[in-house]
């Protein structure tokens, strides 16, 4: 099943219809490149579970074609599409008959869901309200009211009904991506849709294309990609981005839900120049690196009991944070630089030769022998060090972040920890060091706290997007990826507090 064959089929079927026939049923196919962009975005934001994919207005299946390209033809999945018009349905059914995609020749809006789906990506019909027959419109309005509690204007285009009724088909947390006309953000009939996006689901992002960046060759319409999750609204900020691609927008700005209402025009949030914030990245402000690799945490990271037992002098000890799983707090206070935690841990590291240690610190020498018996010096890292029990030096970082997390529903997949101590951290963490020009500014604890809040306000989706996802919903982010993650709000904080005129 080649995309070029599908595209030829789509073009051929389109030429057999007049423009007004296509207007009546909203038949304007998505360019493949755009479908792939949206699908890549979906992949970054979904775990690698078997995906159940729903396309309510499938046409010849450009999104399914993009799905196979992005997720892979062998990815475990099932897919269902609806197409009302047999002109597209019959050839599309033949085209996809050897695939996992089931296509039904039916009106999506009249279907009763018998199963729920984890991913929906579509470009629904844009039909204007006067193409919707009046009895059908009444039934749909009633359905929307029943399902969402929202009264929808009779002037709303068909895509509004598609979107608002779609959640009946979605699993909790399902990702839903819609390519729809941008008009809903400003026109009166769009209020119901905006209300729905703010209150009934968890709106994640709206990526708009400027009027001079039309996405369709054959429809003069400016469009937006609306992304939401099927769950109650969360505290996550909503990203408004524009142009470029949804994966790499030209500009973006985050808004807390409380700043948005269904009454205001949303398109101005991004189009007026003053409101466009150049996207600064974490790497603009921080150098990031992995914490230290000790070569054997059980040997090198010790508690006070071991320190006392082997009389290990403090000059060989540096406070260290416990591993991320054991660190429940997001802010580490300290006394004399030692973290105030249930249990204190220290990194043991010593550059003295063994015979010197044997003479001056006999108990410590016994501890080193214990490590030797456990085979620590033969490990990959220790075998390359001299002496093997000397760990690399590292500075405490003001912010640290566990570099992996689980579950897309957990808002703490990635959390930033304010480290107000002299503790260093092991390689379970990423360390964020202020760039030299911000070092003195970030010594101010008020500034640090504000930056910490701004870091934690970065939508988890954009961190997830910058990182990578593994099977079973395991998310990881590497130092370079973290540097590329958008960091809205920090420029403003540092701009006013640090008087850095040449921030960008
Ligand atoms: C804007 S086109 C998009 C097609 C395809 N999703 C794409 O992106 O290329 C909308 C499609 O939905 C179909 N359609 C219109 N009303 C529908 C309905 N009520 N139920 C199912 N399909 C419908 C149209 O025939 C058309 O093929």
């Amino acid at each position: 099943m080649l995309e070029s064959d599908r595209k030829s089929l789509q073009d051929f079927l389109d030429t057999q219809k007049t423009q007004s026939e296509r207007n009546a049923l909203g038949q304007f196919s998505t360019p493949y490149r755009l479908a792939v962009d949206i699908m890549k975005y979906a992949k970054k934001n979904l775990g690698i579970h078997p995906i159940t994919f729903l396309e309510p207005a499938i046409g010849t299946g450009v999104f399914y074609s993009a799905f196979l390209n992005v997720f892979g033809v062998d990815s475990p999945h099932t897919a269902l599409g609806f197409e009302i018009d047999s002109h597209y349905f019959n050839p599309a059914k033949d085209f996809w008959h050897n695939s996992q995609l089931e296509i039904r020749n039916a009106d999506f809006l009249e279907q009763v869901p018998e199963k729920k789906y984890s991913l929906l990506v579509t470009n629904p019909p844009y039909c204007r309200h006067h193409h919707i027959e009046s009895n059908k419109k009444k039934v749909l309005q009633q359905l929307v009211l029943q399902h969402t509690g929202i009264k929808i204007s009779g002037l709303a285009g068909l895509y509004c009904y598609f979107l608002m009724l779609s959640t009946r088909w979605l699993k909790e947390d399902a990702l839903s991506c819609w390519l729809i006309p941008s008009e809903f953000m400003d026109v009166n009939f769009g209020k119901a849709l905006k209300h729905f996006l703010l209150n009934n689901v968890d709106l994640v992002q709206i990526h708009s294309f400027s009027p001079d960046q039309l996405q369709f060759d054959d429809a003069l319409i400016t469009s937006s990609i609306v992304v939401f999750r099927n769950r109650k609204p969360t505290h996550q900020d909503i990203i408004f981005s524009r142009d470029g691609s949804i994966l790499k927008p030209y500009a973006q700005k985050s808004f807390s839900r409380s700043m948005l209402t269904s009454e205001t025009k949303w398109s101005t949030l991004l189009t007026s120049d003053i409101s466009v914030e150049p996207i600064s990245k974490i790497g603009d402000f921080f150098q990031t690196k992995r914490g230290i690799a000790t070569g054997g945490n059980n040997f090198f990271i010790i508690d006070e009991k071991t320190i006392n037992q082997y009389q290990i002098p403090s000059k060989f000890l540096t406070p260290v944070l416990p591993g991320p799983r054991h660190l429940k707090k997001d802010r580490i206070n300290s006394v004399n630089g030692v973290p105030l935690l249930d249990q204190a841990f220290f990194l043991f590291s010593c550059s003295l030769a063994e015979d010197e240690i044997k003479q001056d610190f006999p108990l410590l020498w016994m501890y080193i022998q214990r490590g030797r018996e456990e085979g620590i010096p033969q490990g990959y890292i220790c075998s390359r060090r001299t002496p093997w029990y000397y760990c690399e030096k590292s500075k405490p970082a003001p912010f640290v972040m566990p570099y992996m997390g689980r579950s897309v529903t957990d808002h703490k997949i990635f959390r930033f920890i304010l480290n107000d101590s002299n503790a260093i951290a092991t390689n379970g963490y990423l360390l964020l060091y202020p760039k030299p020009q911000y070092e003195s500014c970030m010594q101010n604890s008020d500034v640090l706290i504000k930056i910490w809040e701004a870091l934690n306000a970065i939508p988890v989706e954009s961190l997830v997007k910058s990182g990578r996802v593994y099977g079973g919903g395991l998310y990881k982010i590497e130092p370079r990826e973290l540097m590329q993650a958008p960091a809205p709000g920090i420029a403003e904080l540092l701009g006013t507090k640090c008087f850095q005129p040449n921030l960008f």
Side-chain angles (χ1 to χ4, degrees):
M1 283 157 295
L2 283 177
E3 167 54 25
S4 55
D5 294 342
R6 187 211 60 83
K7 173 76 170 92
S8 308
L9 177 64
Q10 178 77 47
D11 291 345
F12 171 70
L13 295 173
D14 286 348
T15 54
Q16 294 183 319
K17 291 219 148 198
T18 64
Q19 189 76 12
S20 63
E21 281 170 339
R22 289 173 65 197
N23 279 338
L25 278 175
Q27 294 170 321
F28 297 94
S29 179
T30 310
Y32 181 64
R33 143 199 74 70
L34 180 56
V36 168
D37 273 355
I38 300 175
M39 217 37 99
K40 282 186 179 163
Y41 172 93
K43 187 174 180 199
K44 279 213 151 189
N45 289 284
L46 278 177
I48 308 181
H49 323 290
I51 287 165
T52 48
F53 172 52
L54 177 68
E55 221 292 28
I58 196 156
T60 60
V62 67
F63 283 112
Y64 186 62
S65 180
F67 177 94
L68 293 181
N69 173 340
V70 171
F71 285 82
V73 271
D74 296 327
S75 69
H77 71 275
T78 55
L80 174 66
F82 289 95
E83 174 52 56
I84 200 169
D85 185 353
S86 49
H87 176 73
Y88 289 98
F89 166 77
N90 287 325
K93 191 168 188 292
D94 287 347
F95 184 81
W96 292 111
H97 80 280
N98 265 339
S99 74
Q100 307 274 81
L101 170 66
E102 180 198 352
I103 309 185
R104 295 186 196 160
N105 188 195
D107 181 341
F108 172 70
L109 298 170
E110 287 179 3
Q111 306 306 300
V112 179
E114 76 277 11
K115 189 179 154 196
K116 301 217 170 190
Y117 292 80
S118 60
L119 172 66
L120 185 159
V121 184
T122 194
N123 164 15
Y126 292 3
C127 320
R128 305 259 153 241
H129 73 98
H130 49 260
H131 288 300
I132 313 173
E133 194 260 312
S134 75
N135 279 338
K136 178 166 181 169
K137 196 185 282 181
K138 281 194 193 117
V139 172
L140 289 176
Q141 283 177 307
Q142 191 53 35
L143 259 182
V144 167
L145 185 63
Q146 257 172 22
H147 174 59
T148 66
I150 299 171
K151 208 165 172 275
I152 188 167
S153 154
L155 301 178
L158 200 61
Y159 66 90
C160 299
Y161 298 94
F162 261 76
L163 195 152
M164 292 171 77
L165 291 173
S166 68
T167 46
R168 300 179 301 167
W169 293 79
L170 298 180
K171 290 184 179 173
E172 178 75 8
D173 285 334
L175 190 71
S176 194
C177 309
W178 294 76
L179 184 62
I180 57 175
S182 305
E183 64 185 13
F184 83 93
M185 292 198 269
D186 299 341
V187 294
N188 256 329
F189 71 70
K191 284 183 189 166
L193 189 47
K194 286 188 276 187
H195 185 89
F196 174 83
L197 291 171
L198 287 178
N199 300 289
N200 293 50
V201 291
D202 192 16
L203 178 57
V204 175
Q205 182 162 356
I206 298 184
H207 180 82
S208 310
F209 296 101
S210 303
D212 58 355
Q213 303 218 345
L214 291 178
Q215 297 305 303
F216 297 91
D217 302 332
D218 45 4
L220 285 177
I221 198 130
T222 55
S223 23
S224 295
I225 304 164
V226 174
V227 181
F228 65 83
R229 281 200 183 267
N230 187 38
R231 64 184 173 212
K232 289 211 173 77
T234 61
H235 62 279
Q236 296 292 333
D237 282 355
I238 297 158
I239 300 171
F240 280 74
S241 54
R242 78 161 153 84
D243 297 332
S245 76
I246 186 164
L247 288 163
K248 281 208 169 106
Y250 166 66
Q252 76 176 41
K253 194 170 168 74
S254 302
F255 294 88
S256 74
R257 201 167 304 273
S258 58
M259 287 168 76
L260 301 172
T261 78
S262 51
E263 299 300 314
T264 51
K265 291 193 172 186
W266 287 4
S267 70
T268 52
L269 294 171
L270 263 181
T271 48
S272 76
D273 282 346
I274 41 159
S275 70
V276 175
E277 174 185 294
I279 310 167
S280 40
K281 303 193 168 84
I282 287 185
D284 294 334
F285 313 107
F286 295 99
Q287 198 59 50
T288 62
K289 62 175 208 161
R290 272 296 259 283
I292 58 164
T294 61
N297 286 353
N298 287 343
F299 175 79
F300 287 101
I301 296 184
I302 52 182
D303 59 11
E304 282 175 294
K305 191 168 157 232
T306 309
I307 293 170
N308 292 336
Q309 188 182 348
Y310 292 96
Q311 302 279 295
I312 303 179
S314 60
K315 61 180 171 183
F316 302 137
L317 298 171
T318 311
V320 66
L321 295 176
R325 271 190 301 140
H326 302 287
L327 189 61
K328 304 290 176 222
K329 293 182 175 180
D330 283 352
R331 181 173 179 179
I332 313 296
N333 294 317
S334 63
V335 175
N336 299 327
V338 178
L340 267 177
L341 296 169
D342 294 344
Q343 199 181 1
F345 290 94
F346 296 85
L347 174 84
F348 163 65
S349 169
C350 172
S351 59
L352 299 181
E354 268 195 60
D355 44 358
E356 215 176 322
I357 297 177
K358 188 173 183 182
Q359 193 181 321
D360 294 347
F361 310 105
L363 282 174
L364 171 57
W365 182 79
M366 283 176 66
Y367 185 66
I368 288 173
Q369 299 322 300
R370 193 178 115 181
R372 191 182 291 289
E373 279 157 25
E374 285 167 11
I376 308 285
Q378 280 80 51
Y380 178 83
I381 293 172
C382 293
S383 65
R384 283 162 175 74
R385 287 196 308 225
T386 322
W388 62 267
Y389 42 82
Y390 178 69
C391 291
E392 63 181 290
K393 287 237 179 308
S394 125
K395 265 191 340 176
F399 303 105
V400 299
M401 173 199 199
Y403 87 103
M404 62 182 179
R406 275 198 183 274
S407 163
V408 84
T409 54
D410 179 358
H411 295 144
K412 293 259 177 182
I413 290 175
F414 292 122
R415 61 189 171 122
F416 292 87
I417 296 160
L418 176 57
N419 178 26
D420 198 0
S421 80
N422 287 340
I424 58 170
T426 55
N427 56 358
Y429 293 93
L430 301 186
L431 316 178
L432 285 80
Y433 295 101
K435 289 203 150 171
Q437 63 268 43
Y438 303 121
E439 260 172 17
S440 63
C441 176
M442 287 200 215
Q443 267 154 21
N444 176 320
S445 64
D446 288 346
V447 176
L448 270 188
I449 290 172
K450 289 219 157 63
I451 292 177
W452 173 52
E453 288 167 352
L455 286 169
N456 277 313
I458 296 174
V460 74
E461 274 81 2
S462 56
L463 292 169
V464 162
K465 216 189 306 176
S466 304
R468 52 197 70 195
V469 62
Y470 293 81
L474 177 67
Y475 292 83
K476 289 188 185 170
I477 190 162
E478 296 296 341
R480 274 162 182 245
E481 293 166 340
L482 182 61
M483 304 254 282
Q484 291 308 312
I490 293 186
E492 252 162 35
L493 278 172
L494 291 172
T496 50
K497 304 273 186 217
C498 296
F499 304 103
Q500 290 288 338
N502 298 321
L503 210 49
F504 300 105

